[in-house]
Amino acid sequence: MVNIKSQRELDLMRQSGRLVAKVLMNLTKLAVPGTKLSELDQAAEELTLSFGAKPSFKGYIGYRHSLCASVNEQVVHGIPTERILKEGDIIGLDFGLSFQGFHGDSAVTVAVGKVSAEAKEIMQVTKQSLYAGIDAARAGNTIKDIALAIESVVKPHRFGIVKEFVGHGIGQKLHEDPQVPNYAAGASNLKLKPGMTIAIEPMVNRGTHKVRVLADRWTAVTEDGQLSAHYEHSIAITDGEPEILTAWENLQDDTEGQALINQLNERGKYGQRGPNPA
Ligand code: MF3
Ligand code: CO
């Protein structure tokens, strides 16, 4: 069953989405050479709790962390271990929280220092495919239109679109109906209606679309070991333009988040800090 959110519910979704954006924006500043993945997880959790929110992933079907951190050939569900980030890595940061009973979920892939042209390309194409998918998320269109839009960006590059994991409805639960696949053959003709809230999350591999799961039973990696990228936003279908609930654009005045990051830095818990390259 696909929920239609009321204005009140949408307002709460906006609040949780904004907090997700704050956490992710601040985590990207910490994703520099020398930072441990576990430190990113800890920062995500501290920020979340400081907002009076709850991490959505912790405890979800047995997952033990607040953040998924997927490095290089890791596609999604990477575990934030004691691994240390190094120059040239790319890292997918996937994070969700609930605030006053409503979830937000978003992911971004970040360059750690200077990265290869191949890395930049897979990140750029995947991000572009997310925004194409979002642009297609309009009342009257279907779930398949979102997938078609994502495919239309990825296909010319002959990159692999991951099929095993899909986007999803989101609201009082992290995962609600409908499923939102990133490839048209897997997508339904369900019509989008104002008040639906969904998470769109393309995962794109430079090589084969095929993935396998490591012995830790969580981390999905590309079967051929090539790079993968992942971007995700929670959005609302409206009467007009799609509304990106987890957008960063309204965060310029994020003084609280910055203050917390400064505190974390001062405590010296994290790796060496430099400016985060664009
Ligand atoms: N972020 C994932 C999603 O979008 C969920 C992570 S799975 C979890 O569906 F178990 F880690 F929560
Ligand atoms: Co998601």
Side-chain angles (χ1 to χ4, degrees):
M1 205 243 336
V2 178
N3 285 307
I4 301 294
K5 271 77 179 180
S6 67
Q7 281 308 324
R8 180 191 148 268
E9 290 173 324
L10 284 172
D11 206 58
L12 291 169
M13 295 287 293
R14 285 185 190 106
Q15 293 183 46
S16 66
R18 185 161 188 279
L19 295 179
V20 170
K22 270 197 189 193
V23 171
L24 277 180
M25 189 191 72
N26 285 300
L27 289 184
T28 65
K29 297 180 189 164
L30 299 171
V32 295
T35 297
K36 274 187 204 158
L37 304 187
S38 60
E39 293 169 336
L40 295 172
D41 181 57
Q42 197 182 337
E45 186 163 322
E46 286 191 27
L47 282 165
T48 303
L49 298 178
S50 79
F51 299 147
K54 198 171 150 290
S56 301
F57 300 172
K58 200 165 188 168
Y60 186 81
I61 51 174
Y63 192 70
R64 294 165 169 277
H65 313 275
S66 298
L67 179 73
C68 294
S70 307
V71 181
N72 297 337
E73 80 287 356
Q74 297 178 354
V75 177
V76 282
H77 303 166
I79 293 183
T81 62
E82 299 308 297
R83 179 175 181 167
I84 295 172
L85 287 174
K86 60 177 188 350
E87 177 101 13
D89 285 339
I90 62 172
I91 179 170
L93 302 169
D94 185 353
F95 177 74
L97 60 71
S98 67
F99 183 67
Q100 298 192 12
F102 287 81
H103 292 266
D105 185 11
S106 182
V108 62
T109 301
V110 185
V112 179
K114 265 176 94 78
V115 302
S116 66
E118 287 76 19
K120 282 185 190 155
E121 187 186 29
I122 191 69
M123 290 166 68
Q124 202 236 319
V125 170
T126 310
K127 185 175 187 177
Q128 201 190 328
S129 78
L130 168 61
Y131 282 90
I134 292 172
D135 193 53
R138 289 166 188 271
N141 276 359
T142 63
I143 290 288
K144 187 167 292 188
D145 288 318
I146 296 173
L148 282 167
I150 290 168
E151 276 187 351
S152 74
V153 171
V154 176
K155 278 239 169 102
H157 297 273
R158 308 206 181 180
F159 291 155
I161 297 181
V162 173
K163 299 186 166 73
E164 277 87 346
F165 306 101
V166 298
H168 48 92
I170 183 164
Q172 278 166 294
K173 289 193 291 184
L174 175 63
H175 292 152
E176 298 185 349
D177 287 341
Q179 292 204 354
V180 184
N182 299 301
Y183 62 107
S188 76
N189 291 313
L190 179 83
K191 269 219 161 59
L192 302 172
K193 292 203 186 80
M196 286 183 183
T197 49
I198 58 175
I200 304 178
E201 50 177 317
M203 289 141 272
V204 183
N205 303 343
R206 283 200 65 96
T208 178
H209 67 86
K210 290 188 185 155
V211 301
R212 66 188 174 85
V213 175
L214 297 184
D216 64 23
R217 303 187 57 199
W218 281 102
T219 313
V221 298
T222 57
E223 211 178 77
D224 61 8
Q226 293 201 62
L227 293 175
S228 183
H230 178 212
Y231 288 81
E232 173 177 18
H233 272 309
S234 297
I235 66 143
I237 313 297
T238 73
D239 288 320
E241 294 289 312
E243 180 179 351
I244 304 180
L245 301 165
T246 46
W248 296 17
E249 278 75 30
N250 310 321
L251 298 178
Q252 281 92 343
D253 60 337
D254 184 21
T255 44
E256 302 156 60
Q258 188 58 52
L260 271 153
I261 287 297
N262 292 346
Q263 273 177 33
L264 294 170
N265 279 327
E266 274 160 30
R267 274 187 271 153
K269 291 201 305 193
Y270 302 101
Q272 52 189 86
R273 295 276 170 274
N276 206 40

